[in-house]
Amino acid sequence: MSGNGLQLTTSYANEKPPSSTGSADADLATDPASSGFFTTDFKRHEDLKSMLDGNKDNLKLEAMKRIIGMVAKGKDASDLFPAVVKNVVSKNLEIKKLVYVYLTRYAEEQQDLALLSISTFQRALKDPNQLIRASALRVLSSIRVPVITPIMMLAIKEAVMDMSPYVRKTAAHAIPKLYSLDPETKEQLIEVIEKLLGDKTTLVAGSAIQAFEEVCPERIDLIHKNYRKMCNLLVDVEEWGQVVIINMLTRYCRTQFLNPNQTDSIDDVDKPFYEDSDKSSEEEDETKESEPKKKPYVMDSDHRLLLRQAKPLLNSRNAAVVMSVAQLYHHCAPKAEVGVVAKALIRLLRSHKEIQYVVLSNIATMTIKRKGMFEPYLKSFYVRSSDPLHVKLLKLEILTSLATETNISTILRELQTYVLSPDKEFAAATIQAIGRCASNISEITDTCLNGLVHLMSNRDESVVAESVVVIKKLLQMRPSEHKDIICHMAKMVEKIMVPMARASILWLIGEYSERVPKIAPDVLRKFAKSFIQEEDIVKLQILNLAAKLCITNQKQTKLLCQYVLNLAKYDQNYDIRDRSRFLRQLVLPGEKSSALAKYAKKIFLATKPAPVLASKFQDRDQYQLGTLSHLLNTRAHGYQELPEWPEEAPEPSVRNVEMPIWTEKKISTKKKKNTADLKSFYSETESSDEDDSDGESQSDESEEEDSEEESGEESEEEEDSENDENEEEEESEEEVSSKEEDSSEEDSEEEESSSEEEVVQKKPVKKEIKPEKSKLKEEKSSTKNQSDLLLDLDDLGSLGTGSTPVTPGDMLTPTMASSMSNLSISDRASPTNVAMPQPVIVPSKSYELLNRIKGNGLSVEYKYTRSISIFSPKMVSIELTLTNSGDTPITNISMGDKKLQPGMEVQEFPEIATLGAGSSTSVLFGINYNDTTQPAMFDLCTQDQKYSVNISAPVGELVQPYTMNESDFRTQQGKLGGMNENSGSTDLPEKNQSPKAICSCVHTAANVLQVPSSEENIYRFSAKTLGDGTLVLVSVKVKESKATVTVNCEKMVIGTMLLKDIKSTLGKK
């Protein structure tokens, strides 16, 4: 083993430069003095490969441990993929676990090799060990290849019904991966999520809610029947699951319950009217009678359940859990109860500085509306010398917000010590805090002003400058009482060198020049001498001072004003030049005086409103507490707005769930055989209850609970037979109610027994069943018939009915994915007479990148996938197909040097180690064209050759679909007129005159989304550019055999070229 250890050390030291996905080690080959010239790349990890290829399990286990150690350290172990993937069939459990850990890491990069082992992963899904089943599903969902979408879907559906909660949890994690790979599977995934939400295991709950939040957060109806179960399970769920569940329940609470603080706000508004002493008692009685009586607020029991179950989590050791409970109480609890979170948040201030920053940011927002909540913990916000600057500033903000008449003396004493801090930024922020306290509490304004005046004699310029700025703001509130302070500041103006402070003093003197008539002209004279050397902000205030003094004291200052205006006339800054010309016409009008000159005094010396020194966190309440958007004070990607409270509470009965009594159910099912199902058809209440409680989302769950709770009273065969009978009865009942809505049904459902149909026809219709539910039943029955199929690659063409068939050569336009809710499948016109867009199959076109003759047997083709790039949303996703037509394998195929225009980016594809003779492979990579039509030039390298190639994207591939309605389309089209509009006409051949053909032509030319149109013969399409999201609008107006195409886009080059492409596609014969 010592020899192996030595070899391993050598292999670490001689690693080749990493690929784009590898580690960031130094590039040895670029250093002439490096030992990189003497490395032997072909022997890299040779010892590990030999150990993995051997027959001894102990060597394989040792090799896998070392490989996982390399991965954990960030080293590139991708070249070991072929050797590792062979061991996926190992019977040793420890080896198999480590192999799956490795495959989960590299399956996305080595997709082709991973696909070769997909049948092994499928067999592992049936493994007796739950860890192996879960690991196989995790690896399968990590292979990001659209062609295996049906396999992943069936694997997830099977895993959801697994007996092991761990496997079901892994299935919940795989759902968002499949949704991001193929959004068209959303409806099927919602069915799976609905089953997971009904799971009563704490291990699954958090993952199921996470899948719900990422796939269908708008489907709040799925939460109704699981709401109380989620609240009761909250304490026992793992920590990160608690965070996800609480955040989801916060949004649910805001949509389903009334505002508990609504009555308080109404009473506060109405108080002055009822307490008005001038009002007579008769008038009061009249107003009371005229106003409608408001119902007293009573908190919903489910609302109270949520708050009660979340409260114990304030003692959690996880800061994120405590923070999520705090935001729940802040947004959803009555005012009187929010205070319970204060102590828990203060406890978090003893954590790491990163946690302190997040918690303090949320406390700062809460103190704006609820000061009294944190007043008892005032000392917890005192600044420590060890605190980092960002924590100090937040504590300062909170102390200022908590200031009241009772505690202001304590806070001011604390702030006085902070002013002396060596940290200049913190000292300046402290002075601003003192100013805020003085403006909010009028009793201490004079005290604060005197203190700030003393600070003007400080040696630190930044402290002096900040003091001057704050004094200026405070003096605006009561200028008449503070003439001495203005005089003192005028005397100190020569010593202060900070431009902002000098400008503030000049503004004060100009604004209140009538109170210091002797000092103001002298200050102007001094500054006129140094006008040229001053900063721009000071020059502008000198001009303002000159203009104001010329208006109020023209005898003494007119010549000075002319002198200053002449200097400013030739200044380098155009703002100062413009200001001087503007002021000259107002203050020193010539023979032709302007109409505004007579109103110069009103313009310049009008009373200005006093500034409001508000907190920086004043407007952050618009974002939900605890979110990234709240922390950054800007809307982050993926942020969901917190819904407003409803005016009227929705129906609370939707959360009622009747728990089925299993023993009674079994007795009734046995009786059904003898009574010929008459009870289920004639008793409305009983049968409807059974239908509701025994739906297909809980049918499989009932088998597990029966076997666990009754501990084997009946065999599994009896349970299966009973459940099958129940399902047949439910299906026969639902077929009658949905017969009017569903025009076509499967053959398997039409071949029901005639005796059952006769009885069913006599049965009165009890309730309406939505067509979606009947379709789900059809899908359920069809997938049951195919549950015997193995998940093999040979059966890809005929996988479950729930899957979308994959046609490699064609692409489904995004109309289907984005506008599914707007599609009208039936022939009947919609009530609004809006022509709904239909999905169009567009053939994907392949382009030749490298000819096999020029490439010495290597031919490369590429095509645009029109899907969101996995590398960046700004990149065009391109699929390369590499074919080896030669007789020898081609090795080390990768992307070499790139020659790109400024702003363009290329995400390389992973290096292909070997391409065998006569074989082909496909890889994905991305190019960000930055909304230009310039080609991306790069080198395609093999071990022996280098080929220079370039890819120029058609302008239609530089855009991505964008959803909008017809009114928004017209509004935006009106804004993008003039030079942003390009239009042209073309003759339509006979084959392109149908609506379907026209849409197909436009979709072929550009990756756009059809907009529903209410006008005949007008087809509208919308998109946005990939680079910077510029709107692109296309409209096609057809009149007889002629089409007029209009393209609106701010980028004129894209608009012109897109118009040309669409015209040529429409006119193609």
Side-chain angles (χ1 to χ4, degrees):
M1 293 303 291
S2 61
N4 291 336
L6 180 60
Q7 290 176 4
L8 178 63
T9 306
T10 306
S11 67
Y12 280 173
N14 295 335
E15 279 193 328
K16 66 179 181 181
S19 64
S20 61
T21 57
S23 62
D25 292 342
D27 191 349
L28 301 176
T30 57
D31 183 7
S34 169
S35 61
F37 290 110
F38 306 102
T39 58
T40 52
D41 284 345
F42 65 91
K43 286 187 178 180
R44 185 168 180 258
H45 302 320
E46 196 66 29
D47 58 332
L48 294 173
K49 291 178 183 176
S50 62
M51 292 167 72
L52 290 169
D53 292 338
N55 297 323
K56 295 183 179 180
D57 283 352
N58 60 341
L59 291 178
K60 289 182 179 180
L61 184 58
E62 180 65 23
M64 284 308 305
K65 286 180 179 178
R66 287 158 62 179
I67 291 169
I68 298 301
M70 291 169 58
V71 174
K73 291 178 181 177
K75 304 234 177 238
D76 181 23
S78 58
D79 58 336
L80 290 165
F81 196 92
V84 173
V85 79
K86 286 189 292 187
N87 289 283
V88 77
V89 295
S90 174
K91 294 182 179 179
N92 187 306
L93 189 60
E94 294 299 320
I95 295 175
K96 190 175 275 192
K97 287 181 186 176
L98 294 175
V99 168
Y100 277 122
V101 171
Y102 176 89
L103 292 178
T104 305
R105 167 66 180 83
Y106 286 108
E108 189 170 344
E109 299 172 16
Q110 304 279 347
Q111 294 174 353
D112 302 324
L113 290 173
L115 282 173
L116 297 176
S117 305
I118 202 163
S119 59
T120 308
F121 303 146
Q122 292 168 308
R123 283 195 298 272
L125 292 171
K126 307 289 186 182
D127 195 277
N129 190 310
Q130 61 173 350
L131 295 176
I132 298 300
R133 296 199 301 274
S135 299
L137 181 59
R138 194 178 294 116
V139 174
L140 197 62
S141 62
S142 299
I143 304 174
R144 312 283 293 169
V145 181
V147 74
I148 68 165
T149 300
I151 298 176
M152 288 174 61
M153 176 60 74
L154 286 181
I156 290 173
K157 285 182 177 179
E158 286 189 2
V160 167
M161 312 309 299
D162 198 281
M163 293 292 291
S164 167
Y166 182 68
V167 178
R168 300 200 297 273
K169 180 186 179 75
T170 308
H173 291 164
I175 288 173
K177 296 181 185 178
L178 178 56
Y179 177 68
S180 65
L181 187 64
D182 185 7
E184 293 181 8
T185 59
K186 182 174 181 178
E187 293 303 320
Q188 300 175 60
L189 291 176
I190 290 176
E191 298 175 34
V192 179
I193 291 172
E194 189 172 4
K195 290 180 182 177
L196 285 172
L197 290 174
D199 200 305
K200 296 180 180 178
T201 314
T202 55
L203 191 65
V204 183
S207 302
I209 293 295
Q210 182 63 40
F212 168 81
E213 288 283 87
E214 294 195 28
V215 177
C216 53
E218 72 283 354
R219 288 291 304 273
I220 207 76
D221 57 296
L222 299 179
I223 305 297
H224 290 323
K225 60 183 179 182
N226 300 302
Y227 172 81
R228 292 169 185 165
K229 181 195 71 177
M230 288 291 175
C231 291
N232 291 321
L233 289 180
L234 196 55
V235 179
D236 300 318
V237 177
E238 39 90 23
E239 292 173 342
W240 297 112
Q242 289 172 344
V243 175
V244 175
I245 293 173
I246 292 173
N247 287 333
M248 183 276 297
L249 290 178
T250 302
R251 288 194 302 110
Y252 182 89
C253 181
R254 293 285 292 238
T255 59
Q256 301 299 314
F257 306 126
L258 292 177
N259 184 359
N261 300 314
Q262 187 176 12
T263 53
D264 296 341
S265 60
I266 292 172
D267 291 345
D268 291 342
V269 172
D270 293 343
K271 251 184 182 178
F273 295 96
Y274 292 105
E275 293 180 357
D276 193 353
S277 57
D278 297 336
K279 252 187 183 182
S280 64
S281 59
E282 295 178 0
E283 289 177 348
E284 288 181 2
D285 294 339
E286 288 176 4
T287 54
K288 286 180 182 178
E289 290 175 3
S290 61
E291 288 182 358
K293 292 184 179 180
K294 294 165 186 171
K295 295 180 181 178
Y297 171 76
V298 178
M299 180 176 283
D300 191 291
S301 59
D302 289 327
H303 191 173
R304 172 59 61 196
L305 173 68
L306 172 60
L307 296 177
R308 187 171 63 248
Q309 294 298 109
K311 187 176 178 180
L313 297 181
L314 290 171
N315 299 319
S316 174
R317 64 181 179 180
N318 190 312
V321 176
V322 178
M323 195 63 248
S324 61
V325 177
Q327 65 85 23
L328 168 68
Y329 268 77
H330 178 75
H331 291 298
C332 302
K335 287 180 182 178
E337 299 179 20
V338 181
V340 298
V341 306
K343 190 173 183 180
L345 291 176
I346 297 299
R347 175 172 61 85
L348 296 182
L349 296 182
R350 304 189 189 101
S351 305
H352 301 291
K353 57 185 178 182
E354 293 83 8
I355 295 176
Q356 286 184 46
Y357 177 73
V358 176
V359 173
L360 287 170
S361 298
N362 289 279
I363 291 176
T365 302
M366 296 171 81
T367 53
I368 299 297
K369 290 187 175 180
R370 298 185 170 99
K371 287 186 179 181
M373 197 166 127
F374 292 96
E375 271 190 42
Y377 309 100
L378 190 66
K379 291 185 178 179
S380 299
F381 302 109
Y382 285 175
V383 174
R384 298 192 179 111
S385 58
S386 58
D387 287 338
L389 178 61
H390 56 271
V391 172
K392 289 180 179 178
L393 295 178
L394 282 172
K395 285 185 174 181
L396 204 59
E397 188 75 32
I398 295 169
L399 283 174
T400 311
S401 299
L402 294 177
T404 59
E405 290 86 349
T406 55
N407 61 18
I408 186 62
S409 57
T410 308
I411 292 176
L412 277 181
R413 279 199 302 271
E414 189 71 16
L415 295 180
Q416 285 174 9
T417 60
Y418 299 162
V419 172
L420 306 176
S421 171
D423 189 338
K424 294 183 179 180
E425 188 175 349
F426 177 55
T430 304
I431 294 171
Q432 291 180 2
I434 293 173
R436 266 185 63 199
C437 293
S439 63
N440 294 337
I441 304 169
S442 56
E443 289 83 354
I444 61 157
T445 304
D446 294 338
T447 307
C448 291
L449 268 175
N450 294 331
L452 292 172
V453 169
H454 286 301
L455 285 178
M456 291 177 63
S457 57
N458 197 293
R459 296 179 182 178
D460 193 341
E461 286 187 2
S462 61
V463 172
V464 175
E466 202 64 42
S467 302
V468 170
V469 173
V470 174
I471 289 172
K472 170 211 160 188
K473 293 176 181 177
L474 293 177
L475 287 180
Q476 281 185 259
M477 298 177 184
R478 290 185 293 178
S480 58
E481 302 175 12
H482 303 291
K483 175 183 174 182
D484 296 338
I485 297 177
I486 297 174
C487 295
H488 181 67
M489 293 174 71
K491 293 174 183 177
M492 292 191 63
V493 72
E494 294 180 2
K495 299 178 183 178
I496 299 172
M497 304 309 297
V498 179
M500 188 65 194
R502 291 168 72 86
S504 298
I505 293 174
L506 289 173
W507 185 90
L508 273 175
I509 294 172
E511 188 68 19
Y512 308 115
S513 57
E514 294 178 353
R515 294 185 179 85
V516 284
K518 297 180 180 178
I519 297 174
D522 197 47
V523 171
L524 177 61
R525 177 181 59 78
K526 291 179 180 179
F527 274 92
K529 291 180 182 179
S530 61
F531 182 85
I532 300 173
Q533 290 83 26
E534 298 290 347
E535 294 289 335
D536 292 343
I537 188 172
V538 181
K539 289 179 181 179
L540 290 172
Q541 290 304 328
I542 294 172
L543 288 173
N544 287 344
L545 176 61
K548 291 174 183 177
L549 289 178
C550 189
I551 293 170
T552 57
N553 191 2
Q554 194 169 15
K555 292 182 181 179
Q556 286 184 308
T557 57
K558 184 176 181 181
L559 294 176
L560 268 176
C561 182
Q562 287 179 346
Y563 175 71
V564 171
L565 291 175
N566 288 333
L567 287 176
K569 186 178 179 182
Y570 302 102
D571 197 87
Q572 293 181 353
N573 189 304
Y574 60 85
D575 283 333
I576 296 171
R577 296 197 300 269
D578 288 350
R579 179 72 64 88
S580 68
R581 294 188 178 95
F582 164 68
L583 293 177
R584 186 182 293 275
Q585 296 301 319
L586 287 176
V587 178
L588 300 172
E591 296 178 359
K592 297 180 180 179
S593 61
S594 63
L596 291 175
K598 62 179 74 173
Y599 303 109
K601 187 169 184 178
K602 291 184 178 180
I603 293 172
F604 284 102
L605 298 176
T607 55
K608 278 79 173 178
V612 179
L613 301 177
S615 170
K616 296 176 184 176
F617 290 80
Q618 193 76 36
D619 58 340
R620 288 205 191 184
D621 201 38
Q622 60 181 317
Y623 299 111
Q624 185 177 350
L625 284 185
T627 59
L628 180 63
S629 298
H630 173 268
L631 193 67
L632 301 177
N633 198 23
T634 184
R635 190 184 182 89
H637 178 69
Y639 173 74
Q640 294 183 1
E641 291 281 354
L642 196 64
E644 293 293 333
W645 293 99
E647 294 183 3
E648 294 183 4
E651 182 59 40
S653 61
V654 293
R655 291 182 289 278
N656 295 337
V657 178
E658 293 188 11
M659 299 302 293
I661 304 173
W662 302 109
T663 54
E664 291 181 7
K665 179 184 173 185
K666 290 183 178 178
I667 295 168
S668 64
T669 52
K670 290 178 181 177
K671 287 181 181 179
K672 282 180 184 175
K673 298 177 182 177
N674 301 325
T675 58
D677 302 326
L678 292 176
K679 186 175 181 181
S680 64
F681 292 121
Y682 289 103
S683 66
E684 297 181 3
T685 57
E686 291 179 11
S687 60
S688 62
D689 290 343
E690 285 179 4
D691 288 342
D692 292 338
S693 64
D694 206 15
E696 49 176 310
S697 65
Q698 297 179 356
S699 62
D700 297 292
E701 234 180 75
S702 65
E703 295 178 8
E704 293 178 27
E705 293 183 3
D706 286 345
S707 61
E708 291 173 4
E709 293 176 5
E710 298 177 7
S711 65
E713 289 180 5
E714 293 186 44
S715 65
E716 293 179 1
E717 295 178 359
E718 291 177 355
E719 290 175 10
D720 293 341
S721 63
E722 287 170 8
N723 286 329
D724 291 340
E725 289 174 6
N726 293 338
E727 287 178 3
E728 288 176 3
E729 290 169 7
E730 289 172 7
E731 288 174 3
S732 65
E733 291 172 14
E734 290 179 0
E735 280 177 8
V736 173
S737 61
S738 61
K739 193 176 288 182
E740 296 177 0
E741 298 173 359
D742 295 333
S743 59
S744 63
E745 297 179 353
E746 295 185 1
D747 296 338
S748 62
E749 293 180 336
E750 292 177 355
E751 295 175 358
E752 295 276 343
S753 61
S754 59
S755 61
E756 287 183 4
E757 289 179 354
E758 290 174 0
V759 179
V760 169
Q761 288 172 1
K762 295 177 183 178
K763 167 184 167 293
V765 178
K766 296 177 297 182
K767 57 182 180 180
E768 294 182 4
I769 299 177
K770 296 183 180 179
E772 287 86 2
K773 189 170 182 181
S774 61
K775 290 175 185 175
L776 297 182
K777 289 278 187 182
E778 293 175 14
E779 292 181 8
K780 172 88 175 179
S781 60
S782 59
T783 51
K784 276 193 173 185
N785 295 333
Q786 296 186 356
S787 62
D788 300 328
L789 295 177
L790 290 175
L791 299 173
D792 291 332
L793 284 173
D794 298 333
D795 298 329
L796 270 178
S798 61
L799 287 170
T801 57
S803 307
T804 306
V806 179
T807 53
D810 296 335
M811 294 181 294
L812 184 64
T813 62
T815 311
M816 193 68 175
S818 302
S819 303
M820 179 66 79
S821 60
N822 296 331
L823 290 180
S824 176
I825 298 176
S826 62
D827 295 329
R828 292 172 294 184
S830 59
T832 55
N833 295 324
V834 177
M836 296 301 178
Q838 301 294 329
V840 182
I841 300 295
V842 179
S844 60
K845 184 178 178 183
S846 294
Y847 305 87
E848 186 178 67
L849 184 64
L850 182 64
N851 189 283
R852 66 186 180 87
I853 298 173
K854 183 181 176 183
N856 297 327
L858 176 65
S859 63
V860 184
E861 292 185 342
Y862 68 94
K863 63 180 179 181
Y864 302 96
T865 64
R866 288 196 179 180
S867 59
I868 298 174
S869 174
I870 61 175
F871 307 110
S872 168
K874 292 187 177 183
M875 287 188 172
V876 180
S877 181
I878 302 174
E879 180 181 345
L880 285 185
T881 304
L882 301 95
T883 306
N884 184 2
S885 305
D887 301 327
T888 58
I890 301 174
T891 58
N892 298 340
I893 303 174
S894 63
M895 193 177 288
D897 296 335
K898 298 179 283 291
K899 298 178 182 177
L900 305 174
Q901 298 293 327
M904 291 175 64
E905 296 176 310
V906 172
Q907 177 65 46
E908 301 177 4
F909 57 85
E911 181 179 325
I912 301 172
T914 305
L915 185 62
S919 62
S920 65
T921 185
S922 297
V923 291
L924 286 175
F925 76 107
I927 301 177
N928 179 6
Y929 283 97
N930 198 24
D931 292 347
T932 65
T933 55
Q934 298 296 324
M937 294 181 285
F938 57 90
D939 292 338
L940 200 61
C941 303
T942 64
Q943 189 173 16
D944 306 320
Q945 298 288 334
K946 184 165 68 172
Y947 311 101
S948 295
V949 294
N950 67 79
I951 297 180
S952 297
V955 70
E957 304 297 341
L958 300 179
V959 298
Q960 61 183 351
Y962 179 68
T963 307
M964 61 167 40
N965 55 36
E966 188 178 9
S967 61
D968 291 342
F969 184 96
R970 289 177 174 175
T971 304
Q972 295 298 332
Q973 193 177 37
K975 294 178 182 178
L976 295 173
M979 295 177 66
N980 297 326
E981 183 172 289
N982 298 278
S983 61
S985 301
T986 184
D987 293 324
L988 292 175
E990 189 173 350
K991 66 171 187 175
N992 290 345
Q993 291 182 6
S994 66
K996 187 174 181 180
I998 292 170
C999 295
S1000 179
C1001 290
V1002 177
H1003 285 303
T1004 303
N1007 185 19
V1008 294
L1009 179 68
Q1010 189 175 356
V1011 177
S1013 175
S1014 59
E1015 301 176 62
E1016 292 185 4
N1017 300 329
I1018 296 181
Y1019 308 92
R1020 298 181 170 89
F1021 306 86
S1022 60
K1024 278 191 173 183
T1025 60
L1026 284 165
D1028 56 7
T1030 303
L1031 200 61
V1032 180
L1033 305 177
V1034 179
S1035 57
V1036 181
K1037 186 175 183 180
V1038 180
K1039 191 174 183 181
E1040 296 177 354
S1041 63
K1042 203 161 191 175
T1044 303
V1045 184
T1046 305
V1047 180
N1048 299 82
C1049 181
E1050 287 182 3
K1051 302 201 171 186
M1052 289 181 281
V1053 176
I1054 289 180
T1056 306
M1057 296 182 68
L1058 187 58
L1059 174 66
K1060 183 179 176 183
D1061 290 351
I1062 295 175
K1063 281 174 57 181
S1064 64
T1065 309
L1066 287 170
K1068 195 172 183 180
K1069 295 182 180 178

